[in-house]
Each structure stands twice: as structure tokens, then as C-alpha cells.
Amino acid sequence: MHLPIRRSTQKTLSRRSGEAAAVVGIGDNMDITYNVLVRVGGTLTPLIIDTGSSDLWLVSDGCSSHCSATNVPLYSHASLTPAGQDVSLLYGDSRTGTHASGPIGTDTVSIAGLSVAKQYFAAIVDTNTTVLQTGSAGILGLGFPPISLIWRQLSSSMLNQAMPPFPKRSGSSTEPLEVLAPGNTSSAKRQEHTPALASVVDTFSTLGPLLTRLVAWKILQRPVVVTTFQRDTVSLSGNDGTLSLGALPFGLSDEHLTWAPVRSYSLAEGGLPPPPDAPNEVRTYPLAWEIPIEDVYFDGIKLPRSTLSSPSITLSALVDTGNSLVRGPQDVLSHIYAQLGLDALGTFDCSVPHNLTFQIGNKLFPIDPRDFAHPAPIVPGTVYPAEEARCTPALAATDPPGVGAFLYSWSLGDPFLKSTMVAFYYGNMTRPSQDPARVGFMSMVPSDAGYALEQAVDEAIANGGVFLSTSEPAPYATAARLVSTMTVADFPGVTQGSLKTTSGAAPAKGPELWIVTLIAAFSAGVLTFLP
């Protein structure tokens, strides 16, 4: 089936509470980071979409460290209403680590026409992150409040109580590691004007992250965010990168997706305590977009479970848009490297398609071979030896799960997300047992992905060993387009559900060669959110 892509003039519609839905185009910096335009105060600037963290922050014009040489619009510090606290956000795991620090404050924040007043965020004045170099001014965290350092600090001072211990390990490249104690604050003054709160979850609607507040105040049609990522390296894809808020893409229903529950954490594991008026909410609060996975396969062979963590910890994965790689246990990755036959430089023959597949909800979700293979660094113009292109696997080791830590073994980053449409359903965040959080998946890997990789390698060799690559500023898929072309796993000729290595055969012709347009135009109204 083929549906024509229509272009039209963008419209602004008035929406009542609970009826808002929107789609915005996503920018892509050579498949390393994906961003979306966000207006903070008077500054419209791109922010990295990160489901692996929960805080909203952007570099301000008061930053003097690593911030001078950039063409990205910086937040005007004069617009900030300070909250009297500073925050230091730490990212990475034991192998990596960066920071971003600055004052916490409020301003009006808008995304896709949805405007939220008095939104807390950090105006960064010191950072060693590379967000500016990748064409973004900061991070838009789409995770849950318990891993928001800003929310934890504000809630702790407002309620005058200690927060549950924060898990110390992260397998994500963009997930906070710890909370630093706040310095001098004006929290006592704020408490005089704050109504009594029975539980920390009561602060979600006022102190929580941006998406949490949109969900808590029932602004959106549904508490859901959907991502589709474009491919801008190796083989340029026809998908428009989009971020859908409040609804699934047009024409889709829940039945089209495979859903997996989000792992919840006990109080001892760093989760939240049940509210006094809802004592049944024990171990129901999620920390991150962590879902169970049944097994992992490479080229059709089931990989062994890691021996680096306790067998009592069930296998799970973080779905992380802020991670440019797929991260997993070191010992399991060693099995993959052995099957690839890596050379001394850690490279393999790009022209051979490989299939890394995750079994989720009893269905198989492969990573497109074009996303598994990263071109190895070369000198531009150099011809590959023996007309062979060399690639490195889009993999990295991460810390194993353990006591007092996050419990996932895998982090499914951008290579997986370019291959899969993902719906992040928040559910009822204050009473999770009534509507639990879950994640929906739909494969976007075409049946001829292996052949497409071989074509890309042939073109690279003919081009002196240089693969195609580009960057697209947000919003690349404009609100006027609001379309995404992708192959759907529930239709013939798509690899979801197959354990076979992607075929290198020539693509089918006639009715078997098709494109389905899943996202059609619908616009969001301009809403002003008042707490």
C-alpha cells in the first residue's frame, strides 16, 4: 500500500485540556544525537531528546566554560526566575563521565505549541559535555521524576525530608549518576506559601519535568510520546524523524504495537514510597524506561546470559534516545565480537549484513544492519584495501546491574531506535497501579535492508571509501509535513519476527515493494499551562 505524502500550510488550532496532540520534526547530527526545537522564555533552541534522563537543562549565555564557540542559540540568563538552588548534573557510567551545572529556576517552556508556565529547569553556566558541538543547547529529559535531580532537590527542600537513595550506576551516556547536596537555598521562604503535601508524588504536577506536568494536568489526549528516528549515515533513509506528543501516529492503534511493561522499583532499590492514602502502591513506581527482554540473538544465534550479574536479576533493557550506541554486558559483547571476527583494529567487513535482535513481548526486533555497522575512521579519499569497506560495531560495554543500582543489563540506543518506532506510555504516574507505564514497539526494518547495506558499501568504495552522511537541523520534518514513511512489521516482507540474518538478495519488485505512510498531518494548538 502506498499513501501519497501531502504538504500543506501549518495551522494553529485551539485545543481544550485533554485534547492536545502534536507532531514535531526531529533534527539529526549524523546519527549521534537527535534534537527538537524547544522555546524557553524568549529563546528557541534545539535540545537533545533523552528518554534516559529526566531533567531539562540548557546552556545559558552566562556560561564561560566550553561555551564560547557555538552557533546554537543560548538561553538568556536574565529571563530566569531563580529558585535559590544550584544543581550539578553528572552523566555517564564508570567508563565515561561529564557534567553540567548551574542555577535552577523557572520560565515558560513550549514544545510543539504546548506551553508550560513556571517550568523548573537548569540554566547551565559550566559544562564539559559536547552538546553544543553536536548542534544542541541542552537536554530535554523525557524520563520519570524519581531520576530527575532537579525534582529531587526541590521536593526534598519543600517537604523537608530526605529522598530515597538514588541508584549509583548508569549504562546510559546521558543519565544522572547522583544527587549533590544543595547549597544555600530559599526553600524555607517558599514553604510558607506551599500547601501541605501528603507525599512526594503530589509535587509531580508543580515541580516535575516538562512531560510529567503535561501528563499530570491531563493536557495531552493520552500520556504518550512516540519517536521515529531518521538515518543520516551509511545509507540515508526515507523516514522523517518525528516526535509525537499525546497520541500514536495517525492510523495506528495500540493493537499495532508490541507492548512491554516498565520495571518498577522498591523503596530499597531507589523507588518511591507509597502515598499515605494509597498504601497499595508498593513497588509500583518506575525509575526509567526499563523493559523486560526475553533473549538477545546475533545472526540467528541466541546469546548467553551475562555472568557478571546475579542470575536473580531478570533480563531487562533501558530504552534510551540519548545513547548513540547499543550498550550491553562486556562478556556478552565478547561473544558478538568473536562471531564478527574483528581484526586488530576492531573492524569487520561492512558488506556482510549482521543481525542483532532483541526479543520483546515474544516478538523479535532486529537492528537494521545499516545501523549496526559504523564506518571505521579513514582519511578522506583513501581507497579501501582490496575494495573492502571496514566498519566497527555500534556497541559498547556498560556496568553490570547490582544491589543499589539500576537493574538493566542493556541500553537500547539510537541504532535500535532508528530501526524501531517506540511509544513511551507514562500511564498514571501518581497511582501507577491504576494505569501502569509501558513501552510499545513497531519494527521499521525493511526486508531488503541487507541489500541496501551492500549498495551503500559499493557506493562508498566507488567514492574513495567515504560513506554518505549528513546532518539535519530541527525541525527537519516540519509541522507542515508531519509524515513518516516506514515499513510496518505487520505487513508482508518485513523482518520483525524473523531470526534469520538479513538477506542480501535483490529487493522484490511489484506489489512487494511498498511504503506505508504512518503519520499524517494534525496540528497542536497553542496552550498556556498555569499551575
Side-chain angles (χ1 to χ4, degrees):
M1 180 173 67
H2 179 79
L3 299 179
I5 298 175
R6 297 183 181 271
R7 300 172 185 257
S8 60
T9 304
Q10 181 178 357
K11 296 181 180 180
T12 300
L13 305 176
S14 176
R15 301 269 186 177
R16 295 189 297 273
S17 176
E19 294 186 1
V23 182
V24 291
I26 290 175
D28 176 12
N29 180 57
M30 298 182 67
D31 294 356
I32 298 174
T33 59
Y34 291 83
N35 57 28
V36 64
L37 286 180
V38 178
R39 184 177 296 278
V40 183
T43 305
L44 181 65
T45 195
L47 302 180
I48 294 172
I49 303 165
D50 186 15
T51 57
S53 68
S54 298
D55 286 302
L56 168 63
W57 64 264
L58 67 164
V59 178
S60 77
D61 56 11
C63 180
S64 58
S65 174
H66 302 89
C67 307
S68 55
T70 179
N71 294 322
V72 180
L74 302 182
Y75 175 70
S76 174
H77 200 83
S79 180
L80 183 74
T81 301
Q85 296 193 39
D86 293 336
V87 68
S88 183
L89 302 163
L90 306 180
Y91 292 85
D93 56 18
S94 66
R95 295 169 173 80
T96 61
T98 56
H99 72 270
S101 59
I104 300 172
T106 63
D107 208 333
T108 299
V109 179
S110 302
I111 179 172
L114 308 178
S115 185
V116 179
K118 298 180 181 179
Q119 175 61 47
Y120 286 94
F121 66 98
I124 298 302
V125 296
D126 177 67
T127 183
N128 65 347
T129 66
T130 58
V131 292
L132 293 176
Q133 291 91 318
T134 59
S136 299
I139 289 179
L140 173 63
L142 299 180
F144 297 97
I147 63 169
S148 163
L149 304 195
I150 294 174
W151 174 80
R152 291 171 71 91
Q153 286 193 195
L154 294 173
S155 297
S156 180
S157 61
M158 175 176 288
L159 299 175
N160 195 28
Q161 68 182 51
M163 299 295 290
F166 195 90
K168 296 297 182 181
R169 164 264 193 189
S170 167
S172 165
S173 60
T174 54
E175 185 175 2
L177 285 172
E178 59 181 284
V179 182
L180 302 185
N184 297 328
T185 73
S186 57
S187 59
K189 181 178 180 180
R190 291 197 307 276
Q191 291 176 36
E192 296 173 3
H193 305 286
T194 303
L197 298 172
S199 171
V200 291
V201 300
D202 294 332
T203 65
F204 284 1
S205 62
T206 54
L207 306 179
L210 177 63
L211 262 296
T212 296
R213 297 182 71 198
L214 288 173
V215 170
W217 284 82
K218 295 180 170 57
I219 300 298
L220 302 175
Q221 286 182 13
R222 298 184 67 194
V224 66
V225 171
V226 186
T227 60
T228 62
F229 282 180
Q230 64 266 50
R231 179 183 304 105
D232 281 341
T233 58
V234 180
S235 173
L236 309 189
S237 73
N239 297 330
D240 284 331
T242 57
L243 179 70
S244 303
L245 306 173
L248 295 180
F250 181 81
L252 289 182
S253 64
D254 286 1
E255 291 71 26
H256 290 102
L257 280 69
T258 298
W259 294 90
V262 174
R263 185 197 287 269
S264 55
Y265 280 69
S266 68
L267 183 61
E269 294 168 334
L272 297 182
D277 60 345
N280 62 311
E281 298 290 349
V282 177
R283 197 189 173 113
T284 61
Y285 292 97
L287 293 183
W289 292 108
E290 178 185 347
I291 53 97
I293 56 178
E294 289 93 37
D295 279 302
V296 184
Y297 298 83
F298 185 69
D299 286 349
I301 300 174
K302 182 161 67 173
L303 294 171
R305 297 292 178 91
S306 174
T307 61
L308 302 179
S309 57
S310 170
S312 64
I313 300 176
T314 57
L315 191 62
S316 64
L318 175 71
V319 186
D320 185 4
T321 62
N323 176 10
S324 62
L325 300 169
V326 170
R327 299 174 185 268
Q330 178 65 67
D331 54 345
V332 180
L333 296 189
S334 295
H335 284 278
I336 297 177
Y337 299 151
Q339 288 182 242
L340 285 171
L342 300 182
D343 62 16
L345 299 177
T347 70
F348 63 94
D349 182 359
C350 297
S351 64
V352 179
H354 292 283
N355 188 328
L356 179 62
T357 300
F358 293 86
Q359 185 176 347
I360 303 171
N362 295 319
K363 286 192 177 181
L364 301 171
F365 293 88
I367 293 177
D368 192 302
R370 293 170 292 178
D371 301 322
F372 178 80
H374 279 183
I378 63 167
V379 178
T382 300
V383 178
Y384 288 107
E387 295 188 345
E388 182 180 278
R390 305 299 294 180
C391 284
T392 59
L395 301 171
T398 191
D399 298 333
V403 177
F406 287 103
L407 299 178
Y408 54 83
S409 298
W410 292 84
S411 177
L412 307 182
D414 296 341
F416 179 84
L417 292 155
K418 285 182 287 182
S419 303
T420 313
M421 187 188 76
V422 181
F424 301 88
Y425 183 85
Y426 291 85
N428 187 328
M429 285 191 282
T430 59
R431 302 294 186 271
S433 66
Q434 298 178 12
D435 187 13
R438 59 188 189 272
V439 183
F441 301 90
M442 175 181 285
S443 179
M444 296 162 54
V445 180
S447 58
D448 65 341
Y451 177 76
L453 174 63
E454 293 173 358
Q455 282 190 313
V457 171
D458 289 343
E459 292 172 1
I461 293 174
N463 193 36
V466 179
F467 280 90
L468 292 175
S469 64
T470 187
S471 293
E472 301 166 345
Y476 179 69
T478 65
R481 294 175 68 178
L482 303 183
V483 292
S484 178
T485 55
M486 63 187 86
T487 45
V488 184
D490 293 313
F491 288 81
V494 181
T495 59
Q496 177 177 329
S498 173
L499 281 178
K500 297 179 180 178
T501 305
T502 307
S503 172
K509 299 184 182 298
E512 294 182 4
L513 185 61
W514 46 269
I515 299 174
V516 178
T517 301
L518 291 179
I519 299 179
F522 61 93
S523 299
V526 177
L527 297 178
T528 299
F529 169 77
L530 297 175

